[in-house]
Amino acid sequence: MQLSFRWYGDGDPVTLDAIRQIPGVVGIVSALHDLPPGVAWSADAVVALRQRVEAAGLALTCIESIPVPEGIKLGTDDRERLADAWCASVEAVGAAGVPVVCYNFMPVFDWTRTSLHRPLADGSEALAYVEGELSAVEEALASGGLPGWMDAHAPDDLRRLFAAYAEVDTERMWDHLGWFLERVVPVAEAAGVRLAIHPDDPPWPLFGLPRVVTSADAFDRVCDLVDSPANGVTFCTGSLGADPAQVAGLPADAARLAARGRLHFAHLRNVRRLGVRDFTETAHPDGDVDLNAVIRALAEAGFDGPLRPDHGRQIWSERGDPTVRPGYGLFDRALGATYLRGLWEGATRS
Ligand code: DNO
């Protein structure tokens, strides 16, 4: 595996120089964060990003994400044009020599939390989700987004989107995903890029919007839609692990998807469930997900793709620091990286 770390570009307070000092980290996961959804990326811009990362002694192992415009998810009349732009971006990524693209198919809202600063017993702060608090944060979430969201919506736009999604049930959403994959997978294959869909986070419908990539079974269905090695998944343990029906099966799911040759990117983090649709993120070693078993499954399958620690808590001097992107500070993600690396060594060294 290629131990990697997310970096938001030059505006990220966590610098490449700092990331390079984390033992074992060789890769960077990033994107052209300044471009809105629907705009085709140029190979020059991706090459410039790659060179920036390489100048710091690291490799650009994955693009996370090329945002999928709402028109594609809704199946609107301009979806051909939007899919062409997405394909052009994939070609640009391939031409720049970056092998993996992560993306998601969540309507309107990307990953969602109701609190960015839930206090934990040890005095640190973590991202958390409590279903009962969702409506209180709806508009702030939609307009401001959370770290890594590549799209946010003004209130009018939001009303229009909700009205449009009222016509799209789960099966239509699957049809739209199938339509999209039929167009983009052959392009990815030709460009030498592996596509890796990210599961919906949390893995259940929010605000009555249809969400489809909500389980490891859904991952298999995505892979079946277009049967190509370029059509794979981002195995995110924190997203799927928030569902009590799924958490114990994650090591077996990782083994199955890796054996299918479709597990292209791993997001490893932990969560603890506190009640029904109520969970908090935790330090990588301390939660409901057995990351040791997931790493063993990946190691046994010979996984050689990018793997990154996912969100971290805010700890030490990062607590209360408004310059820290919630979930994406340096310290706890670095601890997560060294933990994951240690598990990998334990699983692979005799
Ligand atoms: C959250 C991330 C997501 C992810 C996208 C992938 O921290 O895991 O924002 O990047 O959903 O498209």
Side-chain angles (χ1 to χ4, degrees):
M1 62 99 177
Q2 302 161 293
L3 188 59
S4 301
F5 212 77
R6 193 172 199 179
W7 177 66
Y8 283 103
D10 286 314
D12 193 334
V14 178
T15 61
L16 290 174
D17 182 48
I19 294 170
R20 193 183 176 183
Q21 294 172 22
I22 306 166
V25 170
V26 297
I28 288 293
V29 173
S30 193
L32 300 183
H33 283 282
D34 299 336
L35 297 182
V39 171
W41 295 10
S42 73
D44 286 352
V46 186
V47 168
L49 176 65
R50 197 194 79 203
Q51 287 172 343
R52 176 87 181 76
V53 167
E54 287 176 355
L58 294 157
L60 186 57
T61 52
C62 177
I63 293 293
E64 177 177 353
S65 303
I66 303 176
V68 178
E70 298 299 334
I72 291 178
K73 292 176 263 183
L74 281 165
T76 51
D77 291 344
D78 59 346
R79 66 177 175 173
E80 291 283 356
R81 177 183 62 79
L82 296 169
D84 286 349
W86 210 88
C87 287
S89 300
V90 169
E91 283 169 339
V93 170
V98 184
V100 182
V101 167
C102 168
Y103 68 102
N104 73 75
F105 215 74
M106 291 178 247
V108 191
F109 300 87
D110 194 320
W111 67 293
T112 298
R113 298 290 178 274
T114 55
S115 169
L116 302 179
H117 300 282
R118 184 187 262 185
L120 301 188
D122 63 5
S124 62
E125 296 173 353
L127 306 175
Y129 179 94
V130 181
E131 186 100 334
E133 294 170 6
L134 202 53
S135 52
V137 297
E138 176 179 341
E139 227 161 76
L141 265 180
S143 56
L146 290 177
W149 281 30
M150 298 187 77
D151 207 1
H153 306 281
D156 278 353
D157 198 19
L158 195 62
R159 273 187 284 278
R160 188 182 55 74
L161 284 170
F162 267 89
Y165 275 108
E167 310 294 315
V168 181
D169 64 9
T170 309
E171 281 312 304
R172 251 183 90 186
M173 192 74 175
W174 274 111
D175 288 347
H176 296 166
L177 178 54
W179 179 91
F180 175 67
L181 291 174
E182 276 162 22
R183 267 139 203 94
V184 301
V185 171
V187 173
E189 223 173 68
V193 168
R194 297 189 289 281
L195 300 178
I197 198 165
H198 189 285
D200 301 350
D201 179 6
W204 49 74
L206 303 184
F207 306 115
L209 295 165
R211 283 191 155 199
V212 294
V213 192
T214 52
S215 64
D217 289 347
F219 272 161
D220 283 308
R221 184 167 172 186
V222 170
C223 294
D224 292 341
L225 283 173
V226 175
D227 193 15
S228 156
N231 178 28
V233 309
T234 298
F235 196 79
C236 179
T237 56
S239 302
L240 300 178
D243 178 352
Q246 299 198 53
V247 67
L250 290 176
D253 293 328
R256 185 182 72 257
L257 288 155
R260 264 191 96 167
R262 301 299 187 88
L263 198 159
H264 296 327
F265 181 29
H267 271 191
L268 300 190
R269 70 177 163 84
N270 222 325
V271 284
R272 176 166 291 125
R273 188 166 170 266
L274 302 175
V276 177
R277 296 198 172 174
D278 174 350
F279 65 84
T280 187
E281 298 191 1
T282 56
H284 284 75
D286 300 329
D288 298 341
V289 180
D290 186 348
L291 287 176
N292 182 40
V294 172
I295 287 268
R296 276 182 186 280
L298 293 175
E300 274 164 26
F303 175 67
D304 62 359
L307 176 156
R308 71 170 179 86
D310 204 6
H311 309 154
R313 300 163 301 147
Q314 276 179 247
I315 62 174
W316 305 328
S317 58
E318 288 177 348
R319 281 180 309 175
D321 178 347
T323 66
V324 174
R325 282 169 195 260
Y328 286 96
L330 172 61
F331 302 150
D332 198 39
R333 285 190 300 149
L335 292 177
T338 55
Y339 173 67
L340 296 170
R341 184 192 182 200
L343 291 180
W344 188 268
E345 281 192 17
T348 53
R349 279 205 189 166
S350 50

